[in-house]
Amino acid sequence: MQKFYQRLKENQKERARCAFLVLHFGVLAVLLFLARPLLDTTAADREWSIHFLFPCLLACIILTTVVSFCRFAAEPDQKPKPRYVGWKQPILMLANAAYLFATLEFVTNSQFREMKWYYALLNIGVIFVLSIFVSLFLNSIRRAMIFMNIFYFCMSLVFYYVYLFRGEAFQLIDLYSIATAADVVGGYKFEITGEIVTSFITMMLVVRLWLQSREYRFARKTRNKILLRVAAAALMLGTYLAYMNLNWNAEFGVISDLWNPAKTYRQYGTTVGFTAVAKYMRLTPPDGYSKDEVTAIADTSEKETKTEDLRKDNADSVTPVNIIAIMNESWFDYRSVGDPQTSESYMPFLDSLTENIIKGHTLTCTKGGGTAKTEYEFLTGNSCKRFPGMVPYVSYFTHSQYSLVTTLKDQGYQAIAMHPNKATNWKRSTAYRFLDFDDFISIDQFSDTAKRYRGMISDQANYEKIVETYENKEPGSPFFLFDVTMQNHSGYTNRYFQADINCNGYDSDEADQYFSLLKLSDEAISYLIRYFQQVDEPTMIIMFGDHSPKLPDAFETWIAGDAYQNLSVEDQEKFYGTPFFIWTNYSMKSESNVWISTNYLSSYALSLTGLELTPYNEYLLDLREKMPALNHLGFLASDGTWYRWNDSDAPEEDLEYERQYECLQYNELIDKKDRDDSFFTISGEKDEE
């Protein structure tokens, strides 16, 4: 001990290190006492002793402090040289892998204790293998373990908050949309839980122990380090090929629910679930897909679709000079699910419209998030059923795409896209170029004085920009504008936004804020419709919601009368049915309570005009007669019955229709070389872009 004091007295660097140790553990102790209410809540929620977490963490801090200071006091003036890895280090790495597995599940998985023991071992094994790769590349056990502990803590926050805010699990594909996520993250409220505090404290303690551990390396000479990293890279490549091409997940009994990855994570562990779901990011051809199969489907469709009837019906229709399509962010009507019992109506203007309007619900493939999926369905006529967890804009747009845009431009329309946010969100700037829009109006073209709610451009300001763009076009020239609004984006916890509507019977500031935003949306719709009622040029306005909002699960249970997972497929589908309407400022037969899915919506709207349809539009309209609505959960049959895709009593004929539909979608989206251009265009000419 005397030597230790002498070291501190004579060496300023040693004093600084000692002060840092004191500060390190002092901060953790203070944090522990401040966070005690959170820890008590966590313990109670998990049915543990309410005094369990706090004393355990305090004991860990004290023990680690004693160990750290003992090591520091006994440490010689010169640090020992690094040693080669022996048999003890892999055991410590395996123990660290077990800790990382436990802390990740503790933060993110409420069903952690229900996991089968062999899946827990599988997760630990995967983390251990990852730790080996990191150790080989860094040529250091200590540095690798420090990295792994910090990395896994950060990932636990990512998994937790992504699910909290979006209602969907974080997936590998989300890395492509990180800029979009960063842009809207300010609208959410980050709540600190007892699990997060516990994980942070233990992570800091474990990192401290690794920092003071002895260095162990695999190689010392430069040549050996290079050979080590080459060997590690080769080993990683071999592991990746095995991961992608072997059916390892089935061998271990891991069944990936691609449309509900969170379920996979909870059942099999977050690490294993994440890797299992990521394996299916690649888009594979549907069963029976071939160029000849696509040609046969297209030929049969052109013979069977009621082309002449469509032409005849369209000949009597008014051809709109202006077509304005608006995808309204998080626009949803909970009256289709239950009785929200709000203090006042939140859609009074839309409810009042009865002339020249078709209203109903359009079935989407996403809930609580995933805006660009619904957008893709509307513009292309393809369904996102084949893209669980993936967004075509981000993953598959590498060449020109046929869509409503190309169909209208072939008939003389100017095509403009609008979105009052960053152009790079969901890679729209690239996607819109492949869709052949003439121009893209993003947030940069909106005035700094434009009205905002919660920092987002209001629907009113958005529609004023639409009017401004319309007034700047050449009078009489065909005009198509596709707009994606921003006002109602989640989350709904902004303390500066005054909610004017209350949800009676359910006490929730988030619900009150959301319904108040819907009322503002309705007022903006009133402005837009009243403006174009006075316009002489025939105008069609199409509006639909992209998905339901991300409100608390407890609210959804209250409004539906039961937890979502306990509902029938028909009642579950109601959470995917967003409002839509097609309105014209000229005479058109009105309808209400129409059920459709977003992949049909643009073809349906075109069928109400005198415009020419592509064979694919006609195919979709014919498919709609057989299957009026479909999404990833299931479909609505022509007799009004809802089915899941895997239901044993689902009509085989309908399942075959859907398989053929998938073949056509794959041909249009992916198979550029053998794409049947004549089926997706009016002119039939191949786009060489």
Side-chain angles (χ1 to χ4, degrees):
M1 187 62 68
Q2 186 175 358
K3 290 183 178 181
F4 171 60
Y5 288 132
Q6 190 68 22
R7 281 169 50 201
L8 292 180
K9 184 177 180 180
E10 297 176 355
N11 193 321
Q12 183 178 357
K13 184 178 180 181
E14 293 293 283
R15 292 197 298 272
R17 291 178 59 197
C18 184
F20 179 76
L21 279 177
V22 173
L23 179 64
H24 178 91
F25 291 110
V27 168
L28 290 183
V30 171
L31 176 62
L32 178 61
F33 278 92
L34 291 176
R36 183 168 185 174
L38 290 176
L39 300 178
D40 289 346
T41 302
T42 302
D45 288 346
R46 292 179 178 271
E47 300 178 356
W48 297 344
S49 167
I50 199 167
H51 301 296
F52 179 79
L53 278 176
F54 178 80
C56 281
L57 288 175
L58 182 59
C60 288
I61 291 177
I62 294 173
L63 180 61
T64 309
T65 304
V66 172
V67 171
S68 297
F69 273 98
C70 287
R71 287 182 177 180
F72 178 72
E75 189 177 62
D77 293 336
Q78 298 296 326
K79 290 185 178 180
K81 292 183 179 180
R83 294 180 179 180
Y84 286 115
V85 175
W87 63 271
K88 295 181 181 179
Q89 285 66 53
I91 296 177
L92 291 175
M93 292 171 63
L94 185 60
N96 192 80
Y99 160 73
L100 293 179
F101 159 71
T103 191
L104 178 62
E105 301 303 323
F106 180 67
V107 173
T108 64
N109 190 352
S110 60
Q111 301 176 14
F112 178 27
R113 289 180 295 164
E114 301 172 13
M115 190 185 305
K116 296 180 179 178
W117 64 268
Y118 44 85
Y119 290 132
L121 292 181
L122 182 59
N123 279 267
I124 294 171
V126 173
I127 298 171
F128 179 63
V129 171
L130 180 59
S131 300
I132 292 175
F133 287 143
V134 176
S135 299
L136 292 174
F137 270 103
L138 296 180
N139 189 31
S140 169
I141 298 292
R142 182 171 64 183
R143 284 181 289 178
M145 294 304 97
I146 292 172
F147 169 81
M148 289 293 294
N149 278 275
I150 296 174
F151 174 75
Y152 256 75
F153 172 73
C154 293
M155 289 308 299
S156 70
L157 298 183
V158 170
F159 281 109
Y160 175 77
Y161 284 117
V162 167
Y163 185 78
L164 178 67
F165 296 149
R166 197 176 64 183
E168 296 181 357
F170 174 77
Q171 300 173 68
L172 186 62
I173 193 67
D174 291 325
L175 294 177
Y176 293 104
S177 308
I178 193 168
T180 303
D183 190 55
V184 299
V185 72
Y188 296 105
K189 182 180 180 180
F190 289 82
E191 296 182 352
I192 305 299
T193 66
E195 290 89 345
I196 292 174
V197 172
T198 302
S199 179
F200 176 75
I201 291 175
T202 55
M203 181 271 294
M204 293 295 289
L205 294 177
V206 172
V207 166
R208 167 48 56 187
L209 291 177
W210 279 111
L211 278 170
Q212 293 190 228
S213 67
R214 190 159 187 171
E215 181 68 280
Y216 287 89
R217 296 181 179 175
F218 297 90
R220 293 182 186 174
K221 294 182 179 180
T222 303
R223 183 188 65 177
N224 292 339
K225 292 179 182 178
I226 295 174
L227 291 175
L228 179 68
R229 290 185 171 94
V230 171
L235 184 60
M236 286 188 66
L237 178 60
T239 304
Y240 172 76
L241 293 175
Y243 159 75
M244 291 300 298
N245 297 294
L246 296 180
N247 196 17
W248 62 269
N249 43 319
E251 292 295 326
F252 288 107
V254 178
I255 301 174
S256 302
D257 188 334
L258 300 180
W259 278 103
N260 188 10
K263 179 182 177 182
T264 305
Y265 296 3
R266 289 192 295 266
Q267 184 173 356
Y268 306 108
T270 305
T271 300
V272 168
F274 180 81
T275 54
V277 170
K279 179 180 178 180
Y280 297 98
M281 281 179 55
R282 295 183 303 176
L283 185 63
T284 56
D287 293 339
Y289 177 82
S290 67
K291 178 183 178 181
D292 292 339
E293 171 75 355
V294 170
T295 301
I297 295 171
D299 290 345
T300 302
S301 171
E302 292 181 9
K303 292 177 183 178
E304 292 182 353
T305 51
K306 303 171 183 178
T307 306
E308 293 303 321
D309 292 340
L310 285 170
R311 301 283 188 219
K312 183 177 180 180
D313 291 342
N314 290 349
D316 298 330
S317 301
V318 175
T319 300
V321 174
N322 310 303
I323 299 177
I324 298 171
I326 300 170
M327 187 172 74
N328 198 328
E329 170 66 42
S330 299
W331 193 48
F332 191 75
D333 188 355
Y334 277 105
R335 291 177 297 182
S336 65
V337 177
D339 182 8
Q341 302 177 27
T342 51
S343 57
E344 62 179 281
S345 175
Y346 50 85
M347 290 184 178
F349 178 76
L350 182 60
D351 291 343
S352 71
L353 290 178
T354 57
E355 295 183 1
N356 307 323
I357 190 168
I358 298 173
K359 293 191 283 188
H361 293 85
T362 179
L363 202 62
T364 69
C365 277
T366 186
K367 173 176 174 281
T371 294
K373 292 181 184 179
T374 307
E375 179 179 343
Y376 168 81
E377 289 188 320
F378 174 77
L379 290 174
T380 65
N382 296 339
S383 171
C384 281
K385 174 185 177 292
R386 296 207 72 237
F387 314 127
M390 287 163 275
V391 178
Y393 281 5
V394 176
S395 307
Y396 309 122
F397 267 39
T398 60
H399 54 279
S400 61
Q401 300 291 319
Y402 296 123
S403 67
L404 175 64
V405 183
T406 55
T407 300
L408 292 176
K409 287 189 67 174
D410 283 346
Q411 299 178 76
Y413 281 77
Q414 177 190 14
I416 297 175
M418 180 181 294
H419 178 50
N421 213 309
K422 291 183 179 179
T424 53
N425 286 358
W426 296 114
K427 295 180 67 175
R428 282 191 178 95
S429 54
T430 300
Y432 286 167
R433 177 168 57 85
F434 285 131
L435 289 166
D436 205 24
F437 277 103
D438 295 313
D439 194 12
F440 180 17
I441 300 172
S442 64
I443 189 66
D444 295 335
Q445 283 75 52
F446 279 76
S447 170
D448 292 338
T449 60
K451 180 67 176 178
R452 286 170 167 81
Y453 295 113
R454 305 173 306 135
M456 301 173 191
I457 294 291
S458 68
D459 285 357
Q460 178 70 28
N462 192 168
Y463 301 159
E464 288 172 358
K465 190 69 173 179
I466 290 177
V467 169
E468 175 189 328
T469 305
Y470 160 75
E471 291 178 344
N472 289 334
K473 70 138 183 149
E474 183 179 344
S477 61
F479 173 76
F480 169 60
L481 186 144
F482 176 70
D483 174 52
V484 181
T485 72
M486 195 65 195
Q487 173 187 289
N488 298 337
H489 198 288
S490 58
Y492 310 108
T493 57
N494 190 294
R495 60 179 178 174
Y496 300 108
F497 178 81
Q498 179 62 47
D500 298 322
I501 296 181
N502 298 317
C503 185
N504 301 325
Y506 185 85
D507 186 15
S508 170
D509 292 340
E510 291 179 74
D512 293 347
Q513 191 166 127
Y514 176 70
F515 285 115
S516 299
L517 288 168
L518 285 182
K519 178 69 179 301
L520 292 171
S521 286
D522 191 70
E523 293 170 359
I525 293 171
S526 172
Y527 160 79
L528 185 70
I529 296 296
R530 294 185 190 282
Y531 174 86
F532 280 100
Q533 281 177 335
Q534 310 304 316
V535 169
D536 293 332
E537 295 177 347
T539 300
M540 171 182 282
I541 295 178
I542 309 160
M543 184 176 291
F544 58 99
D546 57 349
H547 53 70
S548 58
K550 181 61 181 76
L551 289 176
D553 292 342
F555 174 80
E556 292 190 350
T557 299
W558 172 77
I559 196 77
D562 202 351
Y564 171 82
Q565 61 269 21
N566 298 332
L567 300 175
S568 67
V569 62
E570 180 176 357
D571 289 333
Q572 285 184 345
E573 290 284 26
K574 292 176 182 178
F575 282 98
Y576 292 89
T578 67
F580 90 91
F581 69 80
I582 301 173
W583 173 87
T584 58
N585 64 354
Y586 51 85
S587 179
M588 180 183 69
K589 182 181 177 181
S590 296
E591 292 185 62
S592 60
N593 299 319
V594 175
W595 269 93
I596 195 171
S597 48
T598 317
N599 58 306
Y600 298 137
L601 187 55
S602 59
S603 295
Y604 178 59
L606 284 176
S607 72
L608 304 174
T609 71
L611 293 166
E612 190 172 358
L613 279 65
T614 68
Y616 190 44
N617 293 138
E618 295 169 350
Y619 166 85
L620 290 171
L621 293 172
D622 185 62
L623 182 64
R624 181 175 176 251
E625 292 186 8
K626 302 166 183 173
M627 305 171 72
L630 60 89
N631 69 353
H632 64 291
L633 284 185
F635 63 95
L636 177 64
S638 57
D639 64 358
T641 304
W642 287 93
Y643 294 97
R644 298 185 190 275
W645 294 110
N646 59 357
D647 281 351
S648 58
D649 59 342
E652 290 293 332
E653 187 178 24
D654 287 348
L655 297 180
E656 174 59 18
Y657 290 145
E658 200 278 329
R659 186 197 69 82
Q660 294 177 2
Y661 179 35
E662 287 191 358
C663 288
L664 292 173
Q665 295 176 81
Y666 186 86
N667 181 259
E668 191 278 329
L669 177 61
I670 300 297
D671 200 354
K672 180 181 179 182
K673 180 181 178 182
D674 293 324
R675 187 163 59 182
D676 189 345
D677 299 279
S678 62
F679 193 70
F680 300 102
T681 62
I682 294 172
S683 63
E685 296 178 359
K686 186 173 182 178
D687 191 333
E688 298 295 341
E689 184 181 341

